[in-house]
Amino acid sequence: GIISIADGIKSRPLFKILKLNLACANINENASIRLQEAIATLKHLSTFEINLRSTGISNEEFINILEGVRSSGEPERIRGISINISFCSRIKESGAESLCEYIKTLKTLEMLKLEIKYSKLAEPILKSLQENLSSLKYLRHLYLNIEGSTINPQIVEKIRKDYKRLNHIDIKFNQG
């Protein structure tokens, strides 16, 4: 399971791209700590993708995994981030804040993809992105899927309007 995945990651410290599809997996605290430790060994990481859809991951477990990515090396190396936390109802606002704080440090980020469908975290995450996207000077591709989440459409429109410099912007949401 996840412990084997973590061991595999640790045995490959030169990975530049890490894609983890853990959708519907059973992630407990021990597994999240093992993933945190394994991901932290990837000092050349440039692209990180993780699918946590419908995992039931807790707030603390999510923050553990984010800490692994944050510890993996220089934030200047990270060019792409893709995180799917759709249907993850146990992640709290502090988990969303941790994610947003991490994204703000990624000054050379070129691609950001967040899937936060059917989540109460969509609005706080989008508000933070709206306030901080201007600091991400190299961001060219933004993909946000917030379908089924309650969100003020003005936030989405402001992101679209303010960030015309992006080569590609795709925001999917339910308009009321």
Side-chain angles (χ1 to χ4, degrees), residues 118-131:
Y118 297 92
S119 173
K120 62 188 176 302
L121 301 176
E123 188 150 331
I125 289 173
L126 259 64
K127 281 182 180 177
S128 177
L129 285 176
Q130 174 195 341
E131 295 165 4

Side-chain angles (χ1 to χ4, degrees), residues 109-157:
L109 189 68
E110 297 171 6
M111 185 279 298
L112 176 61
K113 179 179 180 181
L114 297 175
E115 294 197 47
I116 38 183
K117 299 187 320 189
Y118 297 92
S119 173
K120 62 188 176 302
L121 301 176
E123 188 150 331
I125 289 173
L126 259 64
K127 281 182 180 177
S128 177
L129 285 176
Q130 174 195 341
E131 295 165 4
N132 297 299
L133 277 177
S134 62
S135 68
L136 302 174
K137 303 285 185 214
Y138 295 94
L139 188 67
R140 295 294 176 256
H141 305 280
L142 177 64
Y143 174 86
L144 302 169
N145 189 338
I146 51 176
E147 293 175 315
S149 299
T150 304
I151 186 114
N152 181 340
Q154 292 174 339
I155 296 171
V156 174
E157 290 310 313

